[in-house]
Amino acid sequence: MSTLDVAKKDFLDVRRAKIVWFVGALYVLFMLLLIYAGQTGSQDPNILYSLWNLTAVGAMFIPLIALVTAYLAIAGERESGGIKYLLSIPNARRDVVLGKFITRTGVVSASIVVAFLVSAVLTLLWYPETRIDVLGGMMALTVLYALTYVAVAIGISAATASRSRAMGGSIAFFFVTSVLNVLGPLQLVIDYVANDLAGLEISTNQIAFVQSLVSPTAAYVNSTGLVFPDGFNTIPEELPWFLQGETMVVVMLGWLVVPLALGIWQFERADLG
């Protein structure tokens, strides 16, 4: 078997997980409600504001979809003993990790793409200006954002030997990088550590960059300047290079590659009994 063989087998398993499809369908529903709400009560509705609100919802909801879909991918197999079957076929351990990542990536990406495609159709029906370019750009950024959390979940799953540890690690990561980021404490912590404790006297923009490095959610929110018009809503018209949307995409790509690589490294060293 190869990476693709593992992915095909894993898809047969994951498609039976009702919680995965439920969470994905819930995101589609949330998005459709936002698109609908954005055009009610307005004679000249603007799809950009609906998509802007979607960014805030997606910042919290997308990680849940990704983590629920992927956190048991390998840890569940290890606890049940199924991992020994996968490795006896034979498969390299790297094949198992990458195959699981491909499958979970496909499932998460499919729910996001379906949500945006249906929204595009409704936008054509309900809004005077469709802005398909912004819709397409947001879809691409949202898929990339989701994949960073899939990679993190797969990495955690590969590095842990039980369901409870995989769940605990995923919840902790979500709380620190998403919940604390959206609610604000993460930025305050970085400011306190860098300026009050270390005395570095770094600027607000530099704090925002550090925040993006430690949180895929922050990088995702900051990357939206790539698709929304300059100065739209709270997007500044001028930003330093390290907060530009292109830099944020690179940061998200790093969040996609590094946790996956660490997961493979840890899984290859693990004693599977």
Side-chain angles (χ1 to χ4, degrees):
M1 291 180 77
S2 65
T3 297
L4 290 180
D5 293 322
V6 173
K8 291 176 183 177
K9 179 186 179 301
D10 189 48
F11 179 74
L12 297 177
D13 296 331
V14 76
R15 71 178 184 179
R16 292 192 291 266
K18 295 180 180 179
I19 184 64
V20 171
W21 299 111
F22 173 76
V23 175
L26 201 57
Y27 175 71
V28 175
L29 179 60
F30 268 123
M31 185 166 180
L32 298 185
L33 288 174
L34 282 173
I35 298 294
Y36 174 77
Q39 55 85 42
T40 57
S42 175
Q43 294 181 348
D44 188 26
N46 189 340
I47 185 61
L48 293 181
Y49 289 103
S50 296
L51 291 175
W52 182 263
N53 292 332
L54 179 67
T55 302
V57 173
M60 289 288 287
F61 206 82
I62 291 296
L64 289 176
I65 298 175
L67 294 174
V68 167
T69 302
Y71 83 97
L72 287 181
I74 298 172
E77 297 268 19
R78 289 179 67 175
E79 188 170 272
S80 67
I83 196 68
K84 294 181 180 178
Y85 167 75
L86 275 178
L87 294 174
S88 68
I89 291 179
N91 290 309
R93 296 191 184 192
R94 181 184 292 104
D95 291 333
V96 173
V97 176
L98 293 178
K100 298 278 188 177
F101 174 72
I102 290 173
T103 302
R104 311 305 162 117
T105 289
V107 171
V108 171
S109 299
S111 64
I112 294 172
V113 170
V114 167
F116 273 91
L117 290 178
V118 174
S119 296
V121 173
L122 296 179
T123 299
L124 289 170
L125 297 174
W126 292 340
Y127 288 81
E129 188 178 11
T130 57
R131 298 306 304 265
I132 296 300
D133 57 331
V134 179
L135 262 168
M138 280 304 301
M139 182 178 71
L141 289 176
T142 303
V143 168
L144 176 59
Y145 173 51
L147 297 194
T148 65
Y149 274 91
V150 172
V152 167
I154 292 291
I156 292 173
S157 191
T160 52
S162 68
R163 294 170 178 261
S164 58
R165 290 180 181 178
M167 179 182 293
S170 297
I171 291 174
F173 187 84
F174 170 71
F175 182 78
V176 172
T177 64
S178 189
V179 176
L180 293 186
N181 177 78
V182 172
L183 298 182
L186 182 59
Q187 184 178 12
L188 295 177
V189 169
I190 294 171
D191 187 12
Y192 175 74
V193 172
N195 290 330
D196 295 345
L197 292 184
L200 298 178
E201 298 184 357
I202 65 176
S203 67
T204 301
N205 283 337
Q206 290 169 327
I207 290 173
F209 177 64
V210 174
Q211 189 176 355
S212 298
L213 290 179
V214 301
S215 168
T217 299
Y220 169 63
V221 172
N222 290 332
S223 73
T224 56
L226 275 175
V227 295
F228 286 101
D230 292 340
F232 176 77
N233 213 343
T234 58
I235 298 177
E237 293 190 10
E238 294 185 5
L239 285 170
W241 68 268
F242 52 82
L243 286 181
Q244 294 286 341
E246 293 85 352
T247 304
M248 295 297 102
V249 169
V250 173
V251 171
M252 284 195 286
L253 288 173
W255 272 108
L256 193 157
V257 173
V258 173
L260 202 57
L262 290 175
I264 292 173
W265 175 71
Q266 186 63 33
F267 187 52
E268 289 182 336
R269 296 173 63 248
D271 181 7
L272 302 179

